[in-house]
Amino acid sequence: MTINEVRSKYLEFFKHRGHTVIPSAPLVPQNDPTTLFTGSGMQPLVPYLLGEPHPKGNRLVNSQKSFRAEDIEEVGDNRHTTFFEMLGNWSLGDYFKKEQLPWFFEFLTDEMGIDPQRLYVSAFIGDESNNVPRDTESAEIWRLLFSAKGVDAEIREIGSESDGYRRGMQGGRIFYYNAKKNWWSRAGVPENMPPGEPGGPDSEVFYDFGTPHDAKFGAECHPNCDCGRFLEIGNSVFMQYIKQEDGSFALLPKQNVDFGGGLERIAAAASGNSDVFLTDVFSDVISLLEKYSGKQYSDSGFVRSFRIVADHMRAAVFMLGDGVRPSNTERGYVLRRLLRRASLHANKLGLPHDKSGDDSESILARAATILIEKYKMAYSELDGESAFQEIIQAITQEEIRFAQTLVNGMKEFEKIAQSGKVDALEAYTLFTTYGFPFEMTAELAIERGLAVDSEGFAREMKKHQDLSRAGSEQKFKGGLADHSLKTTQLHTAHHLLLKALQTVLGPHVKQRGSNITAERLRIDFSHTAKMTPEQLQDVERIVNERIADALPVVRSTLPKQDAEMLGAEHEFGAKYPDMVSVYSIGPVSASLESPQFTESYSIEFCGGPHVANTSDISQGGAFKIQKEEAVAAGARRIKAVLL
Ligand SMILES: [Zn+2]
Ligand SMILES: [Zn+2]
């Protein structure tokens, strides 16, 4: 089955069950023109899962473009890709387990034609010390579903992942795992959740490729084993509970379902082949590379390069489609890296940088053309002559620049090589100053029998680079997984910081960009002069005072004009819908009639999420500014942490 077929069958399936299709958000967050991509993209749904009514109703479905920069180095095996589409369906206080699990099962078996004998599932084992019961309801639903298909499905206990390697399959099909594997909340496992925090069990579905277990992972195989026998293809999160002040768990008044599934993985399972690169999207690109290079994908010496070119070109096409262009900063740099790695590996296949033989088009441009053709029906940003021209032109220009870089880097490498070795700092300088990829340095060094220090190089890189940290290890926990408690604390601190900057520096201070990770926050703002140490101290002190004031943080949805009248901060140049979400820090309620609103400390256009009270930030530590610097003409940048 093709990628396009899987996607449209999934959307149709849920449309017939009362769901509204919502379009994929762009890879580039619209409200934040400077950030890197987030791991998975469903951020806009977080407030609705926490109780806000969604304008499109209670049943939603979509296929979301996603990109994980931290997977760039991992591409090359049979399952890692940087770009992927995540299928999602949501119940916002509507249906629950007894609809969700049968629907997904029916979709996999009847629509995708997957043999139910190949499917294995997990459920939450329960947490006695926190009084959260075992999810017997999900396990029982699964047992009946398998039984209706004539599959005997025994329920077995596993517990932790390491228990799994000890206990093994035990003849079961439905497995209870602990909170680390089968529980979702923004703060993680039940004991880490603060009072007022929602969470619940989840249930994963795995496809069994039937390959032999590899004992280097552990004695026994089990569904969460990493040996490659099982592939997780989807996860239903059931937002069922809320943590009480006394530490116990109560049922949420409105329970939600947040499902996430890997489109390419489901396609791989439907074909019974564990190599996602054999799905149609990639295999067409791979055939093209085979044709021009004369090399075979089945040749183990080249398979990695085939996969890297196919993966990186697909990710690059989608980034270009969303308006990113190659550059030396942030996401532009990620795109540049993808294109240059693709070019390098095309080279390894024996394909030249600029020409693919019979006419003027480069091999990368040809690969991009295939990908655009595949996806343009589903993603309108790739459709049309001008989109096509712009994407191809950007790729071609980058290839030309890269070819020049290689020439210059090569000259520099020759100079260094005369000393008889390439040390870590030299390799790093080749990379940063000449743009010469480390892979090239290493390869040339090996060819000449020179020593090269790759670990030292990696250390240099780590010191200087804080890219590729978005995302989380839980791939299919829906978009919610990115919202760790720390990120949420930093986000609220970010609002306090903007207000404090205006107080100290003046009302001309406007936000020009922002980026928040679990480690730090960053804000770009309009201001010309370097801030003095006194000003920095004042800002820091004010933010920490507001945290200590324990101000409530309130979200409201109101017409854009009303929000503007209230003086809500918004980012210069950003586009907002007619109804906007606003976060105010300080007020009890938020409406134009409410006098408290004007007294609130800070009001911003923002989709959240935020902590409920500024005092919740203090659990993360004291607010500390780490760096203040110029970022562009008339703009400064601050990096700050909770320590
Ligand atoms: Zn295994
Ligand atoms: Zn915000």
Side-chain angles (χ1 to χ4, degrees):
M1 205 165 310
T2 67
I3 291 289
N4 284 330
E5 281 163 1
V6 175
R7 187 194 310 102
S8 59
K9 277 185 186 236
Y10 176 78
L11 296 177
E12 278 303 311
F13 183 89
F14 280 94
K15 251 162 66 181
H16 285 139
R17 284 154 187 82
H19 289 64
T20 303
V21 180
I22 50 175
S24 172
L27 282 174
V28 184
Q30 296 254 290
N31 55 357
D32 191 347
T34 60
T35 54
L36 278 170
F37 309 87
T38 52
S40 45
M42 282 323 299
Q43 289 184 59
L45 274 178
V46 173
Y48 307 110
L49 287 166
L50 298 176
E52 187 81 8
H54 193 285
K56 295 248 169 107
N58 297 332
R59 295 183 177 200
L60 307 171
V61 63
N62 95 337
S63 180
Q64 171 65 44
K65 296 183 283 188
S66 306
F67 178 81
R68 288 158 51 92
E70 75 262 44
D71 280 353
I72 289 184
E73 303 291 343
E74 288 193 63
V75 174
D77 65 11
N78 67 357
R79 59 179 72 191
H80 277 93
T81 59
T82 52
F83 174 92
F84 58 96
E85 283 179 82
M86 191 150 83
L87 302 175
N89 62 272
W90 293 270
S91 158
L92 304 174
D94 189 347
Y95 60 85
F96 208 47
K97 294 175 190 174
K98 62 181 194 306
E99 291 85 11
Q100 170 59 26
L101 297 177
W103 282 343
F104 185 44
F105 190 66
E106 186 186 338
F107 173 72
L108 292 175
T109 55
D110 297 350
E111 298 287 318
M112 294 292 102
I114 294 175
D115 178 0
Q117 292 280 2
R118 294 266 177 192
L119 298 176
Y120 290 78
V121 302
S122 66
F124 178 52
I125 199 166
D127 181 347
E128 261 174 51
S129 55
N130 286 286
N131 278 314
V132 195
R134 171 174 294 206
D135 188 9
T136 52
E137 190 186 354
S138 292
E140 193 53 29
I141 293 169
W142 280 123
R143 203 182 59 74
L144 294 172
L145 286 169
F146 279 111
S147 153
K149 293 271 181 197
V151 179
D152 207 23
E154 297 291 337
I155 303 172
R156 293 286 183 266
E157 269 191 40
I158 285 196
S160 69
E161 192 173 344
S162 58
D163 290 336
Y165 290 111
R166 200 164 42 76
R167 292 185 165 157
M169 303 292 290
Q170 311 161 68
R173 186 167 296 274
I174 300 158
F175 297 91
Y176 284 122
Y177 280 93
N178 68 3
K180 236 180 143 180
K181 283 284 164 203
N182 281 79
W183 178 267
W184 177 87
S185 87
R186 288 183 297 181
V189 296
E191 63 254 37
N192 291 351
M193 292 165 63
E197 181 72 16
D202 61 61
S203 178
E204 298 176 308
V205 175
F206 301 85
Y207 183 86
D208 178 8
F209 288 106
T211 50
H213 172 65
D214 182 343
K216 84 165 185 254
F217 294 91
E220 299 285 335
C221 201
H222 62 114
N224 275 304
C225 175
D226 285 328
C227 74
R229 175 180 163 187
F230 291 101
L231 184 68
E232 186 200 335
I233 55 179
N235 185 18
S236 302
V237 176
F238 299 112
M239 283 178 66
Q240 188 169 8
Y241 300 103
I242 182 158
K243 194 166 186 177
Q244 309 285 98
E245 284 296 335
D246 67 2
S248 67
F249 282 80
L251 287 179
L252 272 172
K254 277 186 155 193
Q255 303 181 323
N256 307 305
V257 176
D258 174 11
F259 169 81
L263 170 56
E264 290 84 351
R265 289 179 172 212
I266 290 172
S271 72
N273 196 314
S274 58
D275 187 350
V276 300
F277 289 92
L278 293 178
T279 51
D280 64 302
V281 169
F282 291 126
S283 65
D284 286 2
V285 173
I286 287 167
S287 301
L288 171 91
L289 300 173
E290 282 183 327
K291 179 180 158 202
Y292 283 99
S293 67
K295 307 282 192 307
Q296 294 300 310
Y297 179 71
S298 55
D299 182 336
S300 63
F302 292 108
V303 63
R304 190 165 167 270
S305 291
F306 276 108
R307 287 170 175 166
I308 288 172
V309 176
D311 169 79
H312 287 13
M313 287 314 294
R314 180 174 67 156
V317 161
F318 274 98
M319 278 189 206
L320 288 161
D322 275 339
V324 181
R325 291 295 175 264
S327 76
N328 282 331
T329 54
E330 298 186 324
R331 58 192 175 206
Y333 174 71
V334 175
L335 173 58
R336 169 158 286 170
R337 212 165 140 228
L338 289 170
L339 287 169
R340 292 186 170 195
R341 284 190 97 220
S343 174
L344 211 54
H345 284 273
N347 220 359
K348 280 191 182 168
L349 294 173
L351 293 160
H353 297 294
D354 47 352
K355 302 251 178 3
S356 51
D358 49 4
D359 67 36
S360 62
E361 262 204 326
S362 78
I363 194 75
L364 297 190
R366 282 168 184 270
T369 306
I370 290 175
L371 291 159
I372 292 167
E373 281 301 316
K374 282 272 174 199
Y375 282 105
K376 69 181 185 188
M377 285 292 279
Y379 292 100
S380 61
E381 65 274 21
L382 302 179
D383 199 8
E385 186 56 26
S386 73
F388 176 80
Q389 291 299 344
E390 278 189 39
I391 292 170
I392 298 299
Q393 197 186 13
I395 291 170
T396 310
Q397 281 173 356
E398 186 59 19
E399 283 185 282
I400 294 168
R401 264 189 229 113
F402 187 47
Q404 191 53 48
T405 296
L406 289 180
V407 171
N408 297 341
M410 200 68 141
K411 281 187 205 146
E412 207 50 38
F413 177 88
E414 296 297 348
K415 282 187 215 158
I416 292 167
Q418 280 168 14
S419 74
K421 64 166 181 44
V422 184
D423 69 27
L425 202 60
E426 284 167 336
Y428 180 74
T429 309
L430 269 173
F431 175 68
T432 48
T433 311
Y434 298 92
F436 200 63
F438 180 72
E439 283 158 309
M440 283 292 278
T441 303
E443 206 160 278
L444 290 169
I446 291 164
E447 270 173 21
R448 289 158 206 225
L450 304 178
V452 60
D453 178 5
S454 61
E455 272 172 35
F457 175 79
R459 270 196 305 279
E460 289 296 328
M461 287 295 286
K462 225 180 176 79
K463 264 195 269 173
H464 294 82
Q465 199 185 28
D466 62 315
L467 285 161
S468 347
R469 59 174 48 176
S472 82
E473 54 174 337
Q474 295 167 303
K475 208 167 215 163
F476 296 125
K477 298 271 180 187
L480 295 162
D482 287 336
H483 297 281
S484 69
L485 184 62
K486 197 71 188 274
T487 313
T488 311
Q489 289 166 334
L490 280 165
H491 190 170
T492 308
H494 188 283
H495 284 214
L496 294 173
L497 170 61
L498 176 60
K499 183 67 184 188
L501 286 167
Q502 289 167 338
T503 308
V504 172
L505 301 174
H508 64 277
V509 170
K510 290 282 166 208
Q511 181 173 316
R512 298 269 293 266
S514 82
N515 176 249
I516 301 167
T517 71
E519 282 78 32
R520 54 115 184 97
L521 69 81
R522 201 181 67 200
I523 183 171
D524 295 347
F525 57 98
S526 46
H527 185 62
T528 339
K530 182 170 178 56
M531 286 176 69
T532 65
E534 293 73 30
Q535 287 171 333
L536 287 169
Q537 255 174 31
D538 281 346
V539 167
E540 223 172 68
R541 177 183 49 77
I542 292 172
V543 172
N544 281 310
E545 280 172 6
R546 294 295 86 79
I547 292 171
D549 287 346
L551 303 169
V553 181
V554 177
R555 176 177 199 265
S556 20
T557 306
L558 61 171
K560 187 166 71 179
Q561 293 95 320
D562 288 5
E564 281 167 351
M565 271 177 63
L566 288 163
E569 288 294 330
H570 51 273
E571 200 164 307
F572 178 74
K575 289 225 185 331
Y576 294 94
D578 294 340
M579 289 295 286
V580 294
S581 161
V582 166
Y583 270 93
S584 44
I585 302 178
V588 181
S589 70
S591 76
L592 267 184
E593 292 77 48
S594 161
Q596 286 102 327
F597 210 157
T598 48
E599 291 162 20
S600 68
Y601 179 70
S602 138
I603 311 176
E604 286 195 33
F605 281 57
C606 175
H610 283 279
V611 296
N613 189 290
T614 56
S615 62
D616 297 338
I617 301 172
S618 57
Q619 301 159 3
F623 176 82
K624 186 109 192 62
I625 294 175
Q626 284 197 319
K627 201 172 185 186
E628 190 270 347
E629 61 190 343
V631 62
R636 311 288 301 175
R637 167 174 290 184
I638 281 180
K639 284 185 184 161
V641 293
L642 295 171
L643 270 183

